């Protein structure tokens, strides 16, 4: 079928262009918009028999109403996938930008993918050891999980993401068939460079696929970037049997691009000006993590987002938390105290951990131990609040022991080096060691048998 | 209507909402086939010759000018043997059949019959030729699973004489079992019937709730019980435990049938049920839980309009089993996603929004949904009694309960299980707040508890609740000045409230022993904790120092009895009671000579 080409627009509004009297054009179809030798990609976002509305991924800068040419390609936005993508770097809509050749062999895939049939999913149960005690012990990452990092400006989320990526391994298994898909949305060059050079250092670079939309790249392109990246990830996981870890940063920039577009489309805004469908839109990204019955690979997602004003109730972290399977929350107070990684234990959670820890997975005492550590550390917060009012001297003996436990817990358990890779056994033993600051009568979450086996009270 | 097809022409596509011209003869809520790829849609607006349609599948690639075909059928569900143990999407497409047809990812335009048409069921026909039958009457039964006898009923609105009645035997669901003849015509009665999802199924009369839906969750059964036929809302921010609570109820509630609707939530949570329920055993019947469970899965990444429909699909299936005389429990996780689907469609229709962009009819939709719960006398001469209990999760943005979906839900439910973020952060699970939650069924159910558990039950509950609320007041003081300054009688309250919180209210869903707690066990636990309080309180009023009371192993025993005593070994409470008595008897003796202070 010949491609349909039109000359002249009726209107340009922000990233949107309007064309009248188009025929035989489908909803969500891709278009090529060209003017004075430059060509940009766009997508039909609304269509009627009178006009088409198109969002232009690379922005409408430099387009004119009268002579811009619009070619309708008759297909949705696609990306070409094959083994050749490993080690390559692409822009935010999947075009190579590393100076290398075009992807030659391979098949085109719609970047929106298709929803996974819930009855095809396999429930994820394999523990990934990240070597980071706070995560492995208290918010265990599971292969096929979507576990975001909620961060804030200036907090070390990139370091943490890099450390997880470098150290992640299944217990008792070599790294093996492992790939990283890195999707950058609106982040600074330096941040992207930091992450990429660390991947390189760790020797993982052959198995990294990078999609870069940096801070000075077109905003609207960002809407496609995570989808392009996940299309590549799904291909590697479910057709090439790889275990794919997808790092997506910064989801906040993604959401802002979506808000911008929505505003130009004149949609009724919901909270803080974000569109009412932000939840569904984010879900169409995050739900692309998982495992499938009878297939080898997996897609594990670690999205990173910065919470505007460190506010966890802001729509972006809020809706993300409602979709993902937990969250790792970075805490500014801990960061100020010099704790790395500054993981705010109580606000963090891994929902898949319950089925991936304990006997046969990590160690038998893990479920109770983690529950006890949470409970004790939560008590520490109460005691600290009290101590700040009545003074430490006025505290009861037990309360003072909680304070000591709290300090040690932050210094020894949460804190660790950027290159320190702890085994799960080390992490769990460390947890028990710290619990020993507390009298056994306080440890109601662990069983008496576990106490007998692991607990040695430290008095004073 | 005739056989000539109604075909309109697409002229606008805006996400899941499309508009059609020349839609002559389309009915409101009629199912239509949209475009060349025949996507399923439903008419949601008619104006002159134009129709507005919500499409239940992704609309990418649709073009103006493509045809839209009417089907003359309202959006309906198919009700018959084969429902149980299945997982359907929001418009009752069986997901396992779709998997066979389209692989692991859901392609568009795929249809599959909701129920297996080839399977032959063992049908026991209970009606004789020529017998008069009434609407709702059970005319045949099928043992659908070892747990559920599926009762084939005369559909509502049909009564008359049974003719050409088939003998008992093995039949597929589209077999005509008999005809029911009356003045108008002869009605074919098959093993299945269909029903439009947006129309509540009729019943004879509404009955007052008088029996709890036992959930095995202490904080619910003891403090905030829901009745069979009752309604409950579970609001809570992300990660506070809505889904786990709903799963716990789906596992352990003493209902005959569970309908679990995953509405706009995670795919893995459905998978979890699908993998876990066939393995889990119903504590009452010893059979796998899947044998009484029906799942509706329209996850967050599936089309948003089918999410809107999923709630109706689920409740209509629930009503069908209610009509057989069963107690059905329906969980909807999360009703907020359903409300958001309404909002999204409404936005695309450019309707005037009310609060936070939600359409003005949000509140009436929520009311209509919860009104389909209840305990009823069913249609049919047998006077069957059935019930639907509805438990809806609510996901308030930012965890703020003053938002529209939470506030409207609160108006229409009678149990409110408020999840508290700070409890969840402290890993106090279930994080149902004992201060903010309520149940309006407490008084109605008192009689049942007195008769079936113990005459003292309500008194103990009230006592424990008042300790918890006194404790809440004392906590305000402790936050300011520390516990040490409290007099001993108040310290005792704080300590006993602590035992109630840790040893009673906290209940891990993942514990082998404690995930489900018999009501009798609940009673024993509460009785012993309060016995500890009463006897300690007596000693303290005599001037005995509180340290004497808190020293022994007894506290530890009380905190751990939930894990140490299994549901089938309740006699072990006797030993704890003995231990308690000995402990206090010896203290009483020691302080025999001290006179009552004050
Ligand atoms: N009764 C319980 N026992 C043990 N753990 C629990 C219990 N309830 C909740 N949890 C813990 O809390 C986590 C979150 O619970 P859940 O998934 O039910 O939250 P939710 O309210 O449904 O969140 P969302 O709105 O994001 O879906 C669980 O993964 C589990 O770790
Ligand atoms: Mg949930």
């Amino acid at each position: 079928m010949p491609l349909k080409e039109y000359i002249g627009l009726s209107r340009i509004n922000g990233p949107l262009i309007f064309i009248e009297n188009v025929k035989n054009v489908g909803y969500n179809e891709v278009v090529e918009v060209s003017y004075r030798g430059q060509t940009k990609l766009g997508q039909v976002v609304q269509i009627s028999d009178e006009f088409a509305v198109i969002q232009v991924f690379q922005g409408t800068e430099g387009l004119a109403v009268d002579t811009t040419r619009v070619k309708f390609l008759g297909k949705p936005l696609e990306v070409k996938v094959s083994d050749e993508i490993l080690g390559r770097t692409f822009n935010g809509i999947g075009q190579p930008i590393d100076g290398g050749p075009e992807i030659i062999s391979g098949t085109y895939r719609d970047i929106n993918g298709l929803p996974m049939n819930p009855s095809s999913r396999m429930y994820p149960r394999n523990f990934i050891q990240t070597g980071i005690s706070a995560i492995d012990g208290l918010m265990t990452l599971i292969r096929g999980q979507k576990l975001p990092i909620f961060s804030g400006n200036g907090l070390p989320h990139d370091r943490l993401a890099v450390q997880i990526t470098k150290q992640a391994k299944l217990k008792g298994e070599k790294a093996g068939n492992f790939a990283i898909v890195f999707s950058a949305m609106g982040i600074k060059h330096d941040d992207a460079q930091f992450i990429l050079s660390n991947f390189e250092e760790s020797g993982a670079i052959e198995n990294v696929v990078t999609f870069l939309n940096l801070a000075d790249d077109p905003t609207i392109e960002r809407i496609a970037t995570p989808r392009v990246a996940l299309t590549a990830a799904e291909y590697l996981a479910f057709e090439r049997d790889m275990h794919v870890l997808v790092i997506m940063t910064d989801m906040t920039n993604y959401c802002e691009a979506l808000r911008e577009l929505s505003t130009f489309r004149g949609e009724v805004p919901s909270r803080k000006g974000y569109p009412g469908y932000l939840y569904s839109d984010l879900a169409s990204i995050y739900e692309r993590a998982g495992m499938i019955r009878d297939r080898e690979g997996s897609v594990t997602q670690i999205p990173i987002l910065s919470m505007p004003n460190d506010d966890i109730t802001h729509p972006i972290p809020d809706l993300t938390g409602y979709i993902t399977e937990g969250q790792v929350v970075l805490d500014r107070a801990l960061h100020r105290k010099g704790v790395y990684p500054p993981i705010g234990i109580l606000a963090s959670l891994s929902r898949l951990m319950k089925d991936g820890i304990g006997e046969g997975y990590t160690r038998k005492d893990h479920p109770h131990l983690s529950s006890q550590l949470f409970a004790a550390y939560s008590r520490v917060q109460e005691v600290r609040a009290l101590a700040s009012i009545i003074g430490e001297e006025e505290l009861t003996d037990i309360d003072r022991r909680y304070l000591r436990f709290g300090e040690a817990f932050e210094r020894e358990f949460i804190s660790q080096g950027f290159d320190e890779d702890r085994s799960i056994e080390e992490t769990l033993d460390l947890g028990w060691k710290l619990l020993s600051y507390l009298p056994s009568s306080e440890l109601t979450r662990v069983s008496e048998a576990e106490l007998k086996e692991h607990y040695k009270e430290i008095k004073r | 209507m005739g056989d000539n097809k109604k075909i309109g022409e697409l002229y606008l596509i805006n996400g899941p909402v499309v508009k059609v011209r020349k839609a002559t003869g389309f009915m409101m809520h009629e199912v239509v086939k949209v475009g060349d790829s025949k996507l399923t849609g439903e008419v949601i607006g008619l104006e002159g010759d134009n129709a507005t349609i919500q499409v239940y599948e992704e609309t990418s690639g649709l073009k103006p000018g493509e045809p839209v075909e009417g089907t003359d059928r309202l959006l309906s569900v198919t009700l018959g043997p084969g429902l149980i143990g299945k997982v359907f999407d929001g418009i009752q497409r069986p997901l396992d059949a779709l998997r066979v047809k389209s692989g692991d990812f859901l392609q568009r335009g795929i249809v599959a019959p909701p129920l297996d048409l080839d399977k032959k069921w063992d049908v026991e026909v209970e009606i004789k030729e020529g017998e008069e039958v009434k609407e709702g009457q059970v005319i045949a039964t099928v043992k659908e699973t070892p747990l559920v006898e599926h009762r084939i009923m005369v559909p509502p609105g049909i009564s008359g004489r049974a003719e050409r009645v088939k003998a008992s035997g093995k039949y597929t669901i589209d077999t005509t079992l008999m005809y029911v003849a009356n003045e108008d015509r002869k009605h074919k009665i098959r093993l299945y019937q269909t029903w439009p999802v947006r129309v509540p199924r009729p019943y004879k009369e509404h009955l007052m709730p008088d029996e709890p839906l036992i959930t095995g969750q202490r904080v619910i059964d003891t403090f905030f019980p829901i009745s069979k036929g009752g309604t409950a809302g579970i609001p809570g921010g992300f990660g506070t435990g809505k889904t786990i609570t709903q799963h716990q109820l789906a596992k352990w509630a003493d209902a005959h049938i569970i309908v679990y609707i995953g509405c706009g939530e995670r795919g893995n949570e459905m998978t979890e049920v699908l993998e876990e329920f066939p393995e889990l055993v119903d504590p009452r019947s010893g059979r796998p839980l899947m044998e009484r469970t029906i799942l509706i899965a329209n996850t967050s990444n599936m089309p948003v309009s089918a999410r809107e429909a999923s709630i109706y699909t689920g409740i209509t299936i629930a009503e069908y089993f209610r009509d057989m005389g069963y107690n059905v429990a329906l969980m909807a996780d999360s009703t907020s996603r359903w409300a958001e689907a309404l909002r999204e469609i409404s936005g695309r229709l450019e309707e005037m929004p009310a609060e936070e962009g939600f359409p003005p009819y949000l509140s009436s939709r929520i009311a209509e949904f919860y009104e389909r719960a209840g305990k009823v006398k069913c249609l049919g001469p047998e006077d069957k009694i059935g019930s639907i209990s509805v438990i809806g999760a609510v996901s308030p943005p930012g965890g703020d309960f003053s938002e529209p979906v939470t506030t409207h839900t609160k108006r229409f439910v009678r149990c409110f299980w408020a999840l508290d973020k700070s409890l969840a952060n402290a890993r106090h699970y279930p994080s149902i707040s004992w201060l903010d939650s309520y149940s309006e069924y407490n008084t109605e159910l008192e009689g049942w508890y007195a008769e079936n558990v113990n005459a003292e039950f309500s008194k103990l509950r009230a006592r424990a609740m008042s300790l918890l609320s006194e404790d809440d007041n004392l906590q305000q003081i402790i936050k300011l000045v520390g516990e040490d300054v409290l007099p001993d009688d108040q310290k005792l309250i704080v300590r006993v409230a602590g035992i109630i919180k840790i040893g009673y209210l906290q209940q891990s869903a993942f514990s082998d022993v404690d995930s489900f707690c018999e009501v009798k066990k609940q009673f024993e636990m509460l009785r012993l904790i309060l016995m500890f309080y009463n006897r300690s309180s007596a000693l303290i009023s005599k001037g005995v120092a509180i340290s004497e009371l808190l020293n022994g192993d007894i506290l530890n025993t009380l905190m751990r009895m939930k894990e140490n005593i299994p549901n089938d070994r309740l006699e072990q409470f006797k030993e704890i009671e003995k231990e308690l008595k000995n402990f206090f008897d010896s203290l009483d003796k020691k302080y025999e000579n001290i006179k009552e202070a004050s």
Side-chain angles (χ1 to χ4, degrees), chain A residues 184-450:
Chain A
M185 291 151 288
I187 63 169
K188 295 188 283 272
H189 283 263
D190 291 355
D191 295 341
Q193 202 44 51
F194 170 79
I195 294 175
L196 286 171
S197 64
N198 268 288
F199 288 163
E200 211 162 330
E201 227 170 82
S202 72
I205 198 74
E206 296 100 84
N207 280 346
V208 180
V209 190
T210 305
F211 298 90
L212 289 183
N213 168 287
L214 298 177
D216 52 359
D217 286 332
T219 314
I220 300 304
E221 186 180 282
R222 264 162 230 171
I223 292 173
T225 310
R227 297 189 163 83
V228 174
L230 285 163
T231 305
E234 280 173 352
Y235 167 79
L236 295 173
F238 302 128
E239 285 166 57
R240 311 301 306 156
D241 293 345
M242 300 184 93
H243 294 292
V244 185
L245 185 62
V246 185
I247 311 275
M248 301 188 283
T249 179
D250 179 332
M251 290 305 292
T252 300
N253 297 334
Y254 167 84
C255 294
E256 275 165 5
L258 204 64
R259 174 169 68 177
E260 187 177 326
L261 194 65
S262 170
T263 310
F264 279 113
R265 292 176 64 176
E267 293 167 337
V268 183
S270 178
R271 280 210 303 153
K272 301 219 161 150
Y274 292 91
Y277 50 79
L278 182 59
Y279 174 85
S280 301
D281 186 277
L282 285 173
S284 73
I285 294 174
Y286 297 140
E287 276 289 311
R288 291 173 81 173
M291 299 182 76
I292 297 183
R293 271 154 60 188
D294 309 324
R295 299 206 198 198
E296 283 298 316
S298 62
V299 175
T300 308
Q301 288 185 13
I302 303 195
I304 300 174
L305 60 87
S306 44
M307 299 183 279
N309 296 317
D310 292 351
D311 176 9
I312 197 169
T313 69
H314 182 283
I316 297 171
D318 190 49
L319 294 178
T320 297
Y322 271 123
I323 303 163
T324 53
E325 287 146 345
Q327 65 279 340
V328 174
V329 183
L330 300 192
D331 181 300
R332 201 167 291 279
L334 281 180
H335 180 60
R336 283 204 199 100
K337 268 192 182 175
V339 173
Y340 171 86
I343 297 177
I345 298 301
L346 298 178
S348 302
L349 171 73
S350 162
R351 296 166 198 245
L352 297 189
M353 130 178 219
K354 61 186 166 61
D355 296 299
I357 63 169
E359 198 159 16
Y361 298 98
T362 54
R363 205 169 76 185
K364 197 162 166 243
D365 54 314
H366 191 169
H368 287 165
L369 172 63
S370 66
S371 164
Q372 184 65 67
L373 287 169
F374 275 121
Y377 190 62
S378 138
R379 177 75 186 273
V380 170
Q381 308 303 318
E382 287 168 30
V383 175
R384 281 180 180 166
L386 181 60
S388 72
I389 297 171
I390 64 174
E392 234 173 85
E393 318 73 54
E394 299 297 316
L395 293 177
T396 59
D397 175 52
I398 298 251
D399 282 352
R400 273 198 296 270
R401 292 175 70 165
Y402 270 105
L403 282 189
R404 272 204 304 281
F405 161 78
E407 287 306 316
F409 182 73
E410 287 169 2
R411 226 175 30 245
E412 295 175 40
F413 191 89
I414 304 183
S415 287
Q416 71 185 77
F418 180 55
D419 292 314
E420 189 179 349
D421 188 357
R422 294 184 192 151
S423 74
I424 182 68
E425 288 77 16
E426 286 175 276
T427 291
L428 296 177
D429 290 344
L430 187 55
W432 278 109
K433 186 184 139 204
L434 295 168
L435 283 182
S436 306
Y437 282 94
L438 301 171
S440 64
S441 58
E442 290 294 303
L443 307 181
T444 54
R445 304 251 179 148
V446 294
S447 73
E448 279 152 333
E450 286 161 343

Side-chain angles (χ1 to χ4, degrees), chain A residues 66-181:
Chain A
D66 50 354
T67 52
T68 296
R69 306 169 87 87
V70 178
K71 198 188 316 174
F72 291 86
L73 302 185
K75 55 176 191 185
L77 188 57
E78 291 176 328
V79 57
K80 202 170 189 184
V81 289
S82 72
D83 283 347
E84 289 175 39
I85 62 176
L86 288 167
R88 301 292 307 272
T89 301
F90 305 87
N91 69 5
I93 43 175
Q95 299 159 329
I97 50 169
D98 52 5
E102 291 291 320
I103 302 299
I104 298 166
S105 64
T107 50
Y108 283 99
R109 292 288 149 84
D110 179 349
I111 64 160
N112 291 304
L114 287 168
M116 209 184 273
N117 185 330
S119 64
S120 291
R121 281 182 186 269
M122 182 162 78
Y123 194 75
R125 296 175 197 275
N126 294 327
F127 157 67
I128 299 181
Q129 179 175 301
T130 67
I132 297 166
S133 290
I135 296 180
D136 293 348
L138 302 173
M139 55 206 82
T140 317
L141 177 64
I142 303 290
R143 188 175 261 180
Q145 185 172 19
K146 36 191 181 289
L147 187 66
I149 300 176
F150 287 9
S151 186
N153 298 325
L155 295 177
H157 43 264
D158 290 339
R159 285 171 78 80
L160 180 60
V162 163
Q163 190 173 0
I164 293 174
T165 320
K166 285 201 302 196
Q167 296 179 175
K169 52 183 153 303
L170 277 204
K171 200 184 173 195
E173 195 184 277
K174 284 273 157 292
N177 222 2
F178 188 72
I180 299 167
V181 169

